[in-house]
Amino acid sequence: MTLFISSCLLLLLLLLIFPFTSTDALTSPSDVSALKAFKATVKPNSIPPWSCLASWDFTVSDPCASPRRTHFTCGITCSSDSTRVTQLTLDPAGYTGRLTPLIFGLTELLTLDLAENNFYGLIPSSISSLLSLKTLVLRSNSFSGSIPDSVTRLNSLESIDISHNSLTGSLPKTMNSLSNLRQLDLSYNKLTGAIPKLPKNLIDLALKANTLSGPISKESFTESTQLEIVELADNLFTGTLGAWFFLLESVQQVDLANNTLTGIEVLPPKFAGENNLVAVELGYNQIRGTAPASFAAYPRLSSLSMRYNMLHGGIPSEYERSKTLRRLYLDGNFLTGKAPARFVRSDAEVMGSLGNNCLQGCPGKAKMCAPSQKPFYICKQAYGGKPKS
């Protein structure tokens, strides 16, 4: 009995000292090869000793072996039977290197997340091999070149975030083939051209801070009936934003600031009843005409900005009567007439600015009246004579 107990204790001690010495490989050889190739393309001097990649030691442990006490401690997730890698999610450690096409041998990958590192070069077209991929996150790296058209063959994709890189060229024309895509963020790149037809199930669209241009076309949005958030600020969009845009029944937030739009067509109040718009940002464009009174009829609209455009005429009285409006920015235009009393009271519930216009009766002590109104001669010049109240 004593000998048996001693043998059990010795076996337990060996398991504690050498927990990963099993010769039975768990992970698919193709997945192991892909992981090795991926790590090999990352510059060794960019791998901190405390990072996920530093714990990847293929000579000591199988990637999917459990428990992971000292090796492969983070960065990958495996299938329930520990044979396939299903997630590659790196820590933001400053890894530097190119994305090797061999990584796309991880054919059961559901998530590829390399965000906030220093990967550079092209996104390989062989990414189309990841047919099971649902989430692609390459945010805040230094990827360049165009978005490969092959990405649009990944029909399982639900989320794409390649923002904050140096991508160029136009968006793939077949973006609408990504029928399961819910979120698309390509902001802060150098993309050009027009917006193609968008996927039908898209909810969140972010393309801000690129050099996209041309008019905003109805055809691009026709199939996207579930779209809730549209972020297109800081681009080069031109022309008039059609009334059709405000018929997109699911849209809640719109940001089109810092473009070169020259006009907007807003629906008459009778069409606004079922609209879900909560926030509209149209500042820093070249929009002419009068401030659309119809915006006040949108039952959920709480934030409206049309600052620094070329609006003329008075502030619609409907804005003052709105029960939902809480933020209103109309500064930097050529608006005339008297400032609505509700907005300039000391206990005003609405925040924002009516400054830098041609308004009368906008007291300097009122927060909404800052900055001060334009000099009279500028207003006179804008109207070709004395501004009408």
Side-chain angles (χ1 to χ4, degrees):
M1 178 64 71
T2 303
L3 180 60
F4 175 76
I5 294 174
S6 299
S7 299
C8 288
L9 289 173
L10 178 60
L11 179 60
L12 179 59
L13 181 62
L14 289 172
L15 287 173
L16 290 173
I17 297 174
F18 304 106
F20 304 110
T21 55
S22 172
T23 57
D24 295 328
L26 299 173
T27 312
S28 163
S30 61
D31 283 11
V32 174
S33 297
L35 292 174
K36 286 181 177 178
F38 173 72
K39 183 177 180 180
T41 58
V42 177
K43 296 181 179 180
N45 61 1
S46 71
I47 303 177
W50 44 263
S51 65
C52 289
L53 277 184
S55 73
W56 290 17
D57 190 339
F58 298 92
T59 64
V60 175
S61 172
D62 182 88
C64 289
S66 297
R68 298 175 186 166
R69 296 195 181 104
T70 57
H71 299 89
F72 293 96
T73 55
C74 56
I76 64 170
T77 301
C78 296
S79 57
S80 56
D81 61 0
S82 299
T83 60
R84 301 303 304 270
V85 176
T86 57
Q87 294 187 40
L88 177 53
T89 306
L90 288 188
D91 47 337
Y95 303 121
T96 301
R98 294 181 180 273
L99 185 58
T100 172
L102 297 178
I103 194 176
F104 303 128
L106 301 171
T107 54
E108 294 298 315
L109 208 59
L110 301 176
T111 300
L112 176 59
D113 186 346
L114 309 180
E116 298 178 36
N117 282 289
N118 294 314
F119 290 100
Y120 60 90
L122 304 179
I123 299 173
S125 60
S126 52
I127 193 173
S128 59
S129 302
L130 302 179
L131 296 178
S132 299
L133 197 67
K134 293 185 175 182
T135 303
L136 175 63
V137 183
L138 304 177
R139 180 184 66 251
S140 298
N141 280 282
S142 298
F143 288 108
S144 58
S146 60
I147 301 170
D149 290 338
S150 58
V151 167
T152 63
R153 294 202 289 270
L154 299 176
N155 294 324
S156 296
L157 269 177
E158 297 176 0
S159 178
I160 298 176
D161 185 351
I162 320 180
S163 60
H164 295 272
N165 280 278
S166 298
L167 299 176
T168 56
S170 58
L171 296 171
K173 293 181 179 180
T174 53
M175 288 293 295
N176 63 319
S177 64
L178 294 171
S179 57
N180 289 302
L181 195 66
R182 302 288 189 274
Q183 296 177 310
L184 175 63
D185 192 348
L186 300 173
S187 304
Y188 297 96
N189 280 286
K190 301 173 183 178
L191 298 170
T192 57
I195 301 174
K197 185 173 288 188
L198 297 169
K200 64 179 181 179
N201 288 313
L202 194 64
I203 294 174
D204 188 344
L205 172 67
L207 299 174
K208 57 189 176 185
N210 282 283
T211 50
L212 299 170
S213 60
I216 296 175
S217 169
K218 181 180 180 179
E219 293 182 359
S220 303
F221 293 83
T222 300
E223 297 179 1
S224 304
T225 57
Q226 299 184 44
L227 200 57
E228 295 179 1
I229 300 174
V230 180
E231 296 183 80
L232 302 176
D234 300 295
N235 279 287
L236 300 173
F237 292 114
T238 58
T240 298
L241 184 63
W244 61 265
F245 188 85
F246 299 99
L247 278 174
L248 298 172
E249 59 186 27
S250 296
V251 172
Q252 299 176 19
Q253 299 178 42
V254 174
D255 188 355
L256 285 164
N258 286 298
N259 280 284
T260 50
L261 297 174
T262 53
I264 55 171
E265 296 174 355
V266 182
L267 293 168
K270 64 180 181 179
F271 294 105
E274 297 181 1
N275 194 282
N276 290 306
L277 271 177
V278 173
V280 176
E281 172 59 80
L282 293 167
Y284 299 95
N285 278 280
Q286 298 174 19
I287 298 172
R288 299 174 180 272
T290 58
S294 297
F295 273 133
Y298 288 75
R300 298 174 180 82
L301 189 67
S302 64
S303 178
L304 173 62
S305 172
M306 296 186 68
R307 65 196 318 188
Y308 291 91
N309 278 284
M310 304 178 75
L311 298 176
H312 286 60
I315 297 174
S317 59
E318 289 87 348
Y319 289 5
E320 187 177 14
R321 295 196 296 268
S322 171
K323 296 180 180 179
T324 61
L325 203 57
R326 292 294 179 267
R327 294 177 74 255
L328 178 63
Y329 287 88
L330 297 175
D331 48 315
N333 284 285
F334 297 89
L335 299 173
T336 60
K338 291 185 177 181
R342 177 192 169 196
F343 298 150
V344 298
R345 293 199 308 256
S346 58
D347 60 345
E349 298 176 353
V350 179
M351 64 174 293
S353 177
L354 304 177
N356 198 13
N357 276 290
C358 301
L359 296 172
Q360 301 169 6
C362 205
K365 62 182 180 180
K367 292 181 179 178
M368 285 281 284
C369 290
S372 59
Q373 300 299 303
K374 287 181 169 69
F376 178 76
Y377 76 90
I378 292 180
C379 296
K380 182 178 180 180
Q381 184 179 27
Y383 282 86
K386 185 177 179 179
K388 297 179 180 180
S389 60

